[in-house]
Amino acid sequence: YATDALFVTYVAEGLTRQPRINKAGLSLFPQRLFIRPFLCDVDNPAHGDWTDETFALARERDRALPSLQTAGVYYTPHGRRIVQPLKEAILVDARVEEYIARWLRQLEAEGLAVDRSCKDWTRHFQLPHVPKQLGGRSRCLDFDRMVPIDLDPLPDPEPEAARPAR
C-alpha cells in the first residue's frame, strides 16, 4: 500500500470494529477501553537517518538494556519504536497516562531519549513495513524477547488537602 497504516494501543471492549476515540469523547463512549501494550518512540538525534554505525550501536544497546529484555523493538527510518506487552490490560481512565509515564521514565533512566508525548493514550503509531514511500521496509523487527509483564499498581493518589497550594 502507498499509504501509512496507523494503530492505537487501546481496544474497545466487546466491539469487532475499532472506533477512533478522543479524550473529550471518552465519557460519552458506552464501551470500556483498555490498553494492553505500551509503546514509545525513540528518535535518532536531530531525527537523522540511520548509518551502519548508529544502527549497530542502537542494536547493541537495545539488547543490553534491562527494560528491553521483555520488549519488542522495530526500527523506523529515523529512530525506533519500543513495544512492551502487558499481562493484564489497563482500563483507560483518569490514571492510565500515569502508568505510561512511569514506564517512559524507567526507559529514560536507562538512557533512552523517549518521546514523552507517547504517554498520550490516544496517540497513533505507524506500523512497521508500511512506508510513506513505496518499496521501503523497516530496517529491523526484533520481537524475539517480547513477553508480557506485570505492572506494579500505582500509589494511591494524594488527597486534595495534602497537595501544596500553587
Side-chain angles (χ1 to χ4, degrees):
Y1 295 96
T3 60
D4 284 342
L6 303 173
F7 70 98
V8 292
T9 61
Y10 61 84
V11 174
E13 182 177 61
L15 297 183
T16 57
R17 301 193 99 183
Q18 178 67 49
R20 181 173 182 178
I21 309 295
N22 61 32
K23 290 179 183 179
L26 182 60
S27 64
L28 303 173
F29 191 71
Q31 277 79 20
R32 296 187 312 167
L33 300 179
F34 292 93
I35 287 179
R36 191 116 195 206
F38 287 156
L39 269 91
C40 80
D41 291 323
V42 178
D43 292 330
N44 290 342
H47 212 243
D49 291 333
W50 290 106
T51 65
D52 289 341
E53 182 182 352
T54 59
F55 177 74
L57 289 170
R59 291 292 297 140
E60 182 179 320
R61 185 176 202 193
D62 290 349
R63 288 184 185 117
L65 289 175
S67 291
L68 300 190
Q69 299 308 301
T70 57
V73 181
Y74 63 94
Y75 290 73
T76 63
H78 306 286
R80 56 205 189 271
R81 193 151 293 130
I82 311 298
V83 183
Q84 179 58 69
L86 308 173
K87 282 186 182 175
E88 298 293 327
I90 301 172
L91 179 67
V92 172
D93 63 8
R95 298 195 76 197
V96 69
E97 290 184 354
E98 289 180 58
Y99 277 105
I100 301 167
R102 181 177 66 182
W103 178 68
L104 294 174
R105 285 191 304 273
Q106 179 180 339
L107 295 175
E108 283 181 321
E110 293 179 12
L112 289 175
V114 301
D115 179 346
R116 288 186 180 191
S117 66
C118 292
K119 78 171 187 162
D120 182 346
W121 64 267
T122 66
R123 183 178 178 110
H124 287 72
F125 294 95
Q126 186 177 21
L127 286 162
H129 295 337
V130 186
K132 291 180 182 178
Q133 296 177 342
L134 290 176
R137 295 184 58 82
S138 297
R139 184 165 187 158
C140 175
L141 300 175
D142 181 1
F143 299 130
D144 293 342
R145 297 178 296 169
M146 190 167 73
V147 294
I149 61 168
D150 286 314
L151 288 180
D152 291 331
L154 291 171
D156 289 333
E158 197 174 307
E160 203 62 42
R163 292 187 191 146
R166 294 183 189 211

